[in-house]
Amino acid sequence: MSLMMGLVFVLGAPVTVTAISLLEMRRLRSRYGIRLGVHPAALPPLPPPRPAYSPGPQIPPQGHPYPYGAPTGNPYGAPSPNPYGGNRSGNPYGG
C-alpha cells in the first residue's frame, strides 16, 4: 500500500465527520439562527431577579358584591314546584 492510500485510510473518517459537522453547523446558523459561540458556563452570571412589588396587605377587590343585582329567591325556603309537571307529591319514586 502506498503512503497516499495509507493517509486516505487513516484520515478519511475524521475529515469526513468534520466536514459533515461543519455543513450541519452552517445549516443550523442559516435556517434557525443557532450558533455555538461561547459555552453558557463561561458567560457571566445573570443578575438575581428583582423581588415582586408588594404594596401592603392583600385586600379583596372593592365594589358591589352583586354587580348585576341581588340574587332572587330564598335559598333556605321550600323549593319551587317542578316546571315540567310530573309527580307533585314530593316522593321521587311516585307514591
Side-chain angles (χ1 to χ4, degrees), residues 9-64:
F9 278 115
V10 170
L11 296 177
V15 169
T16 303
V17 168
T18 302
I20 291 172
S21 67
L22 290 174
L23 287 172
E24 287 293 321
M25 288 302 301
R26 181 172 168 233
R27 185 177 68 90
L28 288 173
R29 184 173 47 247
S30 65
R31 289 188 184 178
Y32 305 107
I34 298 174
R35 299 181 310 140
L36 295 181
V38 179
H39 191 276
L43 295 174
L46 294 174
R50 295 188 310 167
Y53 175 72
S54 178
Q58 297 295 327
I59 58 173
Q62 302 298 307
H64 194 277

Side-chain angles (χ1 to χ4, degrees), residues 80-90:
S80 61
N82 185 353
Y84 302 108
N87 184 8
R88 297 180 196 271
S89 67

